[in-house]
Amino acid sequence: MITVMAGRPRSFDRDAALAVAVEQFWRTGYDETSVATLTAAMGVSPPSLYAAFGDKHRLFEEAAATYFRRTCEGLDAAAALPTAREAVTRMLDDTARAHTDAGTPPGCLMLTEPRLTAQREELHRRLQERLDRGVRDGDLPPDTRTEALASFLVAVLRGMSGCARDGGTIDDLRAIAQTAMAAFPPPSGG
Amino acid sequence: MITVMAGRPRSFDRDAALAVAVEQFWRTGYDETSVATLTAAMGVSPPSLYAAFGDKHRLFEEAAATYFRRTCEGLDAAAALPTAREAVTRMLDDTARAHTDAGTPPGCLMLTEPRLTAQREELHRRLQERLDRGVRDGDLPPDTRTEALASFLVAVLRGMSGCARDGGTIDDLRAIAQTAMAAFPPPSGG
DNA sequence: CTCTTTCTGTAGTGACCACTATTGATCGAG
DNA sequence: CTCGATCAATAGTGGTCACTACAGAAAGAG
């Protein structure tokens, strides 16, 4: 079943426009990002935006999903490291870099936007899974409270994002990450 | 020099109205709190609000200062404990309770509101001062990186606030606090 | 009492919000 | 070419925003 495509084709790149929307929502959040600024930044008139993305809320959801997918790729790469400690260390260092990258807005959309609770829960779930694997692999003590440790790590990540939004540098964020790793269980028994 | 007070007196309690404004800003933040909801909650008409508090921005600043003053009282009480470890432990426990108290909005105004960067810097300064005192008192190792530790603690506090806003319970926040304390330097040497 | 001052409520200001009706342009199909 | 379909841009929709002009009410000073 192939849908027949007659009529005038779209004159802008939908993916490129969505990327611009991601950047806007990332920089100023959902509420502070108006449709007028979105259309201006995307180079698209309001009717075209609504035809292509539905409404502001659905555009945000699509933008947030895009952002989350990209974040998870980095997360999976870190999680693939041999031990939980290496995985978490890598994740924190990636975070320090990403949250202060000059080419993108400071901080993290997922960790800052109030309405993205579900994404943060998913992040927590993935973290805990990696920690549980560390327990199974024996590189974390068997009595490790993986859920509390995952909650702690999410809190630290959120704190790093907030620090970046407040103007913190990559070194500030690395100092937080390094200090946080002192709370990570040592490899040899707990 | 005494100012002569003629004219009709104010018909509402300014401090009580301010307390209501604190609660509103705390619950929904600066941008999401409209003057209309403020006047409704405070039981004051718009012109009275503007006569008593200036404008929305100044009302917010006054509300934030009130909130901050109250927070600092608890902070000072914790800081007065004998050792830095006790002080920080108490502060984290107070935070877990305050951020999930049923009588107030979840989380923390100072740690959530983007425009309150100065208050967070002041919090960081106070934390570092208490840690420095711990080093001087000898209950923290002399090589303790107090600035990084203070940044870490602010990050954890912010993470706890965010967790509370996402629906976390007091036990969730206590688990974060307890895990974070594992990163605190042990009392006897570094 | 009058006069002055300050508060109060009603009612509305222009600006911006998310969103859309309408019209005309531009494509593929035949 | 004509025709039908889908796009795009102009120009607005009602609603809400922070904020205020205005007029009447309530107090102290004399």
Side-chain angles (χ1 to χ4, degrees), chain A residues 29-94:
Chain A
Y30 179 82
D31 292 308
E32 292 308 289
T33 303
S34 71
V35 173
T37 65
L38 283 169
T39 55
M42 298 160 81
V44 169
S45 65
S48 299
L49 184 147
Y50 281 89
F53 297 104
D55 59 7
K56 183 187 177 184
H57 187 250
R58 262 179 291 186
L59 172 57
F60 172 76
E61 282 183 342
E62 199 168 336
T66 300
Y67 182 95
F68 187 60
R69 203 176 312 117
R70 203 187 317 163
T71 303
C72 284
E73 289 172 11
L75 220 64
D76 291 340
L81 290 178
T83 67
R85 169 174 284 269
E86 288 171 287
V88 170
T89 302
R90 165 74 61 88
M91 181 194 67
L92 290 176
D93 193 64
D94 287 352

Side-chain angles (χ1 to χ4, degrees), chain B residues 6-8 10-12 45 47-48:
Chain B
R8 179 175 175 178
R10 179 180 291 123
S11 70
F12 61 93
S45 65
S48 300

